[in-house]
Amino acid sequence: MVVIGAGQAGLAGAFHLRRTGFEPERDFVVLDRAPAAGGAWQFRWPSLTYGKVHGMHALPGMELTDSDPARPSSEVIGEYFAAYEQRFDLRVRRPVEVRTVREGSGGRLLVETSDGMWSARALINATGTWGRPFWPRYPGQETFRGRQLHTAQYPGPEPFAGLRVIVVGGGASGTQHLLEIAPYAAGTTWVTRRPPVFREGPFDEEAGRAAVALVEERVRQGLPPRSVVSVTGLPLNDAIRQGLADGVLDRLPMFDRITPEGVEWNDGRRIDADVILWATGFRPAVDHLAPLRLREPGGGIRVEGTRAVADPRVHLVGYGPSASTVGANRAGRATVRDIRRLLAQETVAA
Ligand SMILES: Cc1cc2nc3c(=O)[nH]c(=O)nc-3n(C[C@H](O)[C@H](O)[C@H](O)COP(=O)(O)OP(=O)(O)OC[C@H]3O[C@@H](n4cnc5c(N)ncnc54)[C@H](O)[C@@H]3O)c2cc1C
């Protein structure tokens, strides 16, 4: 078996494989292309401290305790994941990039990587989204004389000192970027496609279940998963309240075109800018699975639980409804149960 990705989802899957008797290196391998432990967290900007993380669920079997909320989440979670891999002896191989997965011989999958090939009876794909930042296209984008960057490249607020910055995107990243950058920048503008929806009160389990059910329904229909914020809304915390009161979170509708100096709307309004920061989210990083032809006409991969409907050997953990730290944990357990069933059927049939 091959587990691709050693983020929350991949580690949760590997933990449950181990717990149910599978041995690392003998029965399964975990491959990750990143240089260090921590999944996508290792790449997040230094000002995203652990205290600013919304609700990081611990991995199964080992709590994350005594972490300093003022430290960068990349460090806190990187160290936690490294300790976890060691404690459960998961032997993650890195950096190993999976380039493609295709049909092999004897009903097996052939996993081609930067470090050789593996032949697998089952695959847990846990590659997250960080590797596929989504950049929308707008007319004139290539003519802009300033700098354009995506959340995936966000360096923290200091480099924006004295600049006029447009932040695009109505999710948690967009609002966090604005609140951080505003005290440094010469000016900020927020544009979003839809008016943002702010959510009062705590995000309890019931709200969480309802959000997951909405994403699940889309994935069951073979549609691309939607972002979590699109179904949960933005939590109205103190920082957001302050941003609304200060005007930092006054939102404009999406502009119609980009010019060399800034952006323009069809009604004649224009704003000059030095930077456009695209906080427009990410897409599932699943291109390496293309030869298996899992995609539906709707553009998504249809999954039942975590199993790809088009190929029961492939499980997608951290995809769609399980794309949160708590979802990834649960999905890791369910996936291993499913894979055990699949392998038992194969053995009976053999
Ligand atoms: C800015 C930001 C903040 C977030 N905050 C929260 C939060 O507070 N709470 C929460 O629950 N969720 C949060 N999320 C969502 C969060 O990222 C997920 O819940 C979770 O961390 C994703 O885990 P994962 O294992 O699916 O993906 P990742 O952590 O992205 O792990 C995927 C792993 O797969 C590897 N990989 C990818 N492609 C390949 C390949 N082809 N070959 C080999 N390896 C590969 C990568 O190197 C990576 O290590 C946040 C997301 C973002 C972008």
Side-chain angles (χ1 to χ4, degrees), residues 4-9 31-34 39-41 44-45 53-55 96-98 126-128 130 173 282 288 318 323-325:
I4 313 178
Q8 185 98 13
L31 310 176
D32 195 294
R33 73 171 171 208
W41 293 99
R44 290 192 183 138
W45 51 96
V53 164
H54 290 307
V96 179
E97 175 166 38
V98 173
T127 45
W130 189 255
S173 304
F282 295 82
H288 54 285
S324 73
T325 52

Side-chain angles (χ1 to χ4, degrees), residues 27-343:
D27 302 320
F28 71 93
V29 285
V30 187
L31 310 176
D32 195 294
R33 73 171 171 208
W41 293 99
Q42 69 194 278
F43 303 112
R44 290 192 183 138
W45 51 96
S47 53
L48 183 63
T49 56
Y50 186 60
K52 285 192 194 167
V53 164
H54 290 307
M56 154 84 196
H57 248 259
L59 284 159
M62 181 173 144
E63 287 304 315
L64 167 53
T65 49
D66 296 333
S67 34
D68 176 356
R71 285 184 69 207
S73 52
S74 54
E75 290 177 17
V76 172
I77 297 173
E79 288 165 16
Y80 169 56
F81 279 19
Y84 188 87
E85 289 174 16
Q86 209 166 20
R87 165 121 168 236
F88 296 105
D89 189 23
L90 299 178
R91 297 188 227 170
V92 177
R93 292 187 180 217
R94 59 167 66 90
V96 179
E97 175 166 38
V98 173
R99 298 198 169 130
T100 54
V101 181
R102 59 178 82 250
E103 192 61 53
S105 54
R108 287 176 170 246
L109 295 162
L110 190 62
V111 182
E112 298 178 356
T113 81
S114 55
D115 192 32
M117 303 227 211
W118 272 269
S119 158
R121 292 160 76 195
L123 182 79
I124 298 182
N125 190 83
T127 45
T129 58
W130 189 255
R132 274 207 62 202
F134 173 63
W135 294 70
R137 292 280 150 228
Y138 279 85
Q141 197 158 5
E142 64 294 341
T143 67
F144 183 58
R145 286 208 207 96
R147 178 174 177 213
Q148 298 187 59
L149 75 167
H150 189 277
T151 292
Q153 301 149 326
Y154 177 64
E158 292 86 357
F160 300 97
L163 302 179
R164 298 159 302 170
V165 183
I166 295 175
V167 177
V168 185
S173 304
T175 51
Q176 283 189 9
H177 296 335
L178 278 160
L179 295 172
E180 285 189 2
I181 292 171
Y184 293 86
T188 57
T189 305
W190 187 26
V191 296
T192 71
R193 228 158 16 125
R194 282 184 292 271
V197 177
F198 294 99
R199 175 172 42 79
E200 278 283 6
F203 188 59
D204 55 19
E205 246 183 67
E206 198 182 322
R209 264 199 299 273
V212 166
L214 280 171
V215 180
E216 208 157 36
E217 187 46 38
R218 282 182 65 84
V219 170
R220 198 172 291 129
Q221 291 171 21
L223 296 169
R226 274 170 56 180
S227 78
V228 179
V229 166
S230 71
V231 289
T232 62
L234 290 158
L236 250 183
N237 56 28
D238 290 346
I240 298 244
R241 264 184 245 279
Q242 191 61 50
L244 287 167
D246 296 346
V248 172
L249 295 181
D250 279 353
R251 164 265 177 192
L252 294 175
M254 206 56 218
F255 44 74
D256 294 297
R257 74 192 69 82
I258 300 176
T259 67
E261 292 78 30
V263 297
E264 275 181 9
W265 286 258
N266 283 341
D267 63 8
R269 191 167 21 171
R270 45 175 290 193
I271 290 182
D272 289 350
D274 304 299
V275 178
I276 302 175
L277 171 53
W278 298 91
T280 39
F282 295 82
R283 297 288 182 262
V286 289
D287 290 352
H288 54 285
L289 302 179
L292 299 177
R293 298 179 178 277
L294 304 177
R295 273 192 203 279
E296 298 289 323
I301 298 177
R302 203 139 69 88
V303 295
E304 261 321 315
T306 58
R307 185 184 347 108
V309 171
D311 190 330
R313 296 167 299 179
V314 179
H315 285 73
L316 297 161
V317 185
Y319 178 86
S322 64
S324 73
T325 52
V326 63
N329 281 359
R330 290 201 194 112
R333 184 175 339 116
T335 299
V336 170
R337 221 183 293 132
D338 215 74
I339 287 180
R340 289 186 73 81
R341 247 194 317 260
L342 173 84
L343 298 183

